[in-house]
Amino acid sequence: MNEKMLNLGNNRSIIRELFEFSKGQKEKIGADKVYDFTLGNPSVPPHKLVDETIKELLDTQTPSSNHGYTSAPGDNEVRDVIAKDLNKRFGTNYKLTDLYMTCGAAASLCITFRALTEKPTDEILAIAPYFTEYKVFVESAGATFKLVPADLKTFEINFPELEKMLNKNTKAIIVNSPNNPSGVIYSEKALKQLAELLEKKEKEYGHAIYIVCDEPYREIAYDGLKVAHIPSLYKDTVVCYSYSKSLSLPGERIGYILVPQQAADSKDLYAACLGAGRAYGYVCAPSLFQKVITKCASVTSDMNEYAKNRDLLYNGLTKIGFECVYPQGAFYLFVKSPEEDANKFMERAKKYNIVVVPSDGFGVKGYVRLAYCVSSSTIINSLPAFEELMKEYK
Ligand code: PLP
């Protein structure tokens, strides 16, 4: 048996562990009495165009039209539609041949890391707090994962720490904005500073350092805030996108990799992505959902629901005395644990049937993450329980 895989299989992520705990509690005492904030499973239904398109596709199908293999990078039609949609939104000039359809962001990231790295000394950096699976994905590609410590004041990029960590083995840095778990959208100023720093380091080391944008939350931004299109700020950028959150389709596994032609060695990088997808056995992205995206690339689920939930939860918890990072995007609230050890706080919260994820796994200590992609009644009903919980600290 492969020890590493055995370990991965046997040790579920804490999020999954807690999700299973919630499930058990819901069966025992009733779903409405458990306040489960563990999973980033969209609570808002897909846009109605998604369901209409699926129905239409099923009604008009020929034997192989919906479920057959597509070419490995995806159908031309869907890639053309996505390229045009991106060009319209970001003033770019992408072509269908810059896009590779994948089974969601997780697949996009695994493929990109495998394509970009060759030896164990190759390093991929992520910025804390971060999506825990990055470490698994990078290490499975055979490379080294390194974490840039968080800027605990702003949760933006910690430049002094980042600068110390960049070296000639750095192949890429992952940028996830809007961020899971902090909800922060990195400012354009910070991203420009990052671009300048990487350009300087590329010259110093004589090779490309890529930004890998992990963008499943690109469409979930509040208060009219804009999420910067990073390839427009830094040429050596690869985008890993997913429709899991924007169209509420996480179980359908559909997303893409964008390798802009401007990126260093873009042709080889694109080919290496195809190679990595082949080596991982992805074959092609789900055929039916490639067709769905052809029709739905420019719509999203109703993000107003998440905005309402953000306000309910943020206002409710801060009123009780919790300190929270104000979320600008995504659907997570990062809450400071009232005791130093977030794991102890998580255990204490369980007594009130509140299930939250301690932040240690996200690379920051002393916080918990609440996924507020839940019904608003869950939030409203949870607040008295939070109030009782907070009393323990007063
Ligand atoms: N990246 C981040 C930051 C995420 O939060 C998630 C899922 O929650 C993923 C990637 C994986 O998304 P997908 O379902 O598209 O594989």
Side-chain angles (χ1 to χ4, degrees):
M1 226 54 77
N2 179 304
E3 271 307 310
K4 281 187 195 152
M5 296 304 124
L6 189 59
N7 258 335
L8 278 180
N10 277 339
N11 298 310
R12 274 195 302 224
S13 79
I14 178 107
I15 301 178
R16 289 275 155 189
E17 260 338 309
L18 287 165
F19 174 68
E20 293 303 326
F21 166 81
S22 291
K23 232 168 87 181
Q25 279 299 94
K26 283 175 188 169
E27 276 158 24
K28 252 195 249 162
I29 61 170
D32 59 326
K33 296 193 183 60
V34 181
Y35 312 116
D36 176 6
F37 295 101
T38 53
L39 262 197
N41 218 355
S43 52
V44 172
H47 192 285
K48 66 177 178 5
L49 189 58
V50 171
D51 289 345
E52 283 168 13
T53 306
I54 294 170
K55 281 183 195 141
E56 196 186 310
L57 283 167
L58 295 183
D59 286 345
T60 57
Q61 73 176 331
T62 60
S64 68
S65 66
N66 285 335
H67 310 296
Y69 293 121
T70 68
S71 62
D75 265 339
N76 283 354
E77 198 185 354
V78 65
R79 293 188 295 149
D80 189 47
V81 164
I82 295 169
K84 286 182 174 139
D85 179 62
L86 292 171
N87 294 339
K88 200 164 136 198
R89 291 174 62 188
F90 302 119
T92 46
N93 194 20
Y94 300 133
K95 310 242 169 348
L96 71 93
T97 45
D98 304 340
L99 288 154
Y100 171 18
M101 300 307 293
T102 63
C103 302
S108 301
L109 292 163
C110 287
I111 287 169
T112 305
F113 300 152
R114 185 87 185 263
L116 280 176
T117 59
E118 198 169 30
K119 24 186 204 314
T121 48
D122 288 344
E123 293 177 7
I124 301 217
L125 308 184
I127 302 158
Y130 77 110
F131 176 58
T132 320
E133 294 300 277
Y134 294 154
K135 188 170 186 304
V136 176
F137 298 164
V138 170
E139 290 177 353
S140 300
T144 296
F145 175 81
K146 286 207 167 159
L147 190 62
V148 181
D151 174 341
L152 293 172
K153 279 207 188 92
T154 61
F155 289 100
E156 284 254 10
I157 302 166
N158 188 339
F159 282 102
E161 291 294 334
L162 169 62
E163 224 172 322
K164 277 193 246 162
M165 291 177 73
L166 289 168
N167 68 75
K168 63 176 181 2
N169 294 324
T170 311
K171 290 287 180 143
I173 175 163
I174 307 163
V175 172
N176 170 225
S177 172
N179 182 265
N180 172 10
S182 72
V184 166
I185 296 178
Y186 295 147
S187 67
E188 192 156 320
K189 184 169 165 259
L191 293 169
K192 281 186 176 154
Q193 191 179 339
L194 177 65
E196 266 171 38
L197 174 64
L198 294 181
E199 276 160 14
K200 192 178 93 184
K201 292 292 176 185
E202 284 191 331
K203 282 202 191 104
E204 193 179 323
Y205 305 140
H207 64 76
I209 302 173
Y210 295 89
I211 290 182
V212 177
C213 300
D214 177 29
E215 296 201 329
Y217 302 99
R218 184 176 68 203
E219 267 58 75
I220 314 179
Y222 308 121
D223 310 323
L225 276 173
K226 260 180 56 189
V227 178
H229 184 58
I230 298 180
S232 303
L233 304 175
Y234 183 67
K235 86 176 175 54
D236 295 336
T237 298
V238 180
V239 176
C240 294
Y241 187 79
S242 162
Y243 295 94
S244 291
K245 318 288 172 169
S246 62
L247 281 176
S248 309
L249 295 173
E252 307 301 352
R253 315 308 304 142
I254 188 81
Y256 61 77
I257 301 171
L258 167 70
V259 183
Q261 284 172 35
Q262 63 180 13
D265 301 316
S266 60
K267 274 209 173 106
D268 283 351
L269 177 52
Y270 187 88
C273 284
L274 280 180
R278 181 177 166 195
Y280 277 130
Y282 281 120
V283 184
C284 66
S287 180
L288 181 68
F289 279 85
Q290 290 191 45
K291 291 190 162 57
V292 171
I293 300 303
T294 306
K295 291 275 161 48
C296 303
S298 51
V299 298
T300 68
S301 306
D302 180 6
M303 301 308 173
N304 292 322
E305 290 297 312
Y306 298 132
K308 276 188 229 155
N309 279 358
R310 177 204 56 176
D311 292 344
L312 269 177
L313 191 62
Y314 179 85
N315 294 338
L317 290 189
T318 48
K319 209 165 135 197
I320 296 166
F322 284 99
E323 241 181 84
C324 312
V325 181
Y326 187 63
Q328 299 166 309
F331 40 50
Y332 304 103
L333 184 66
F334 215 42
V335 181
K336 199 160 186 351
S337 164
E339 60 186 302
E340 207 179 322
D341 186 341
N343 287 286
K344 286 195 180 139
F345 174 64
M346 174 269 286
E347 289 297 341
R348 212 184 279 255
K350 274 182 179 174
K351 286 196 298 185
Y352 299 86
N353 293 310
I354 298 170
V355 194
V356 297
V357 183
S359 63
D360 299 52
F362 302 119
V364 171
K365 284 194 187 308
Y367 283 78
V368 290
R369 187 194 78 172
L370 277 67
Y372 54 82
C373 42
V374 295
S375 69
S376 50
S377 63
T378 300
I379 296 176
I380 293 164
N381 296 338
S382 73
L383 292 175
F386 273 110
E387 202 161 356
E388 287 306 306
L389 171 61
M390 194 51 159
K391 277 186 192 154
E392 292 203 20
Y393 295 97
K394 284 191 171 154

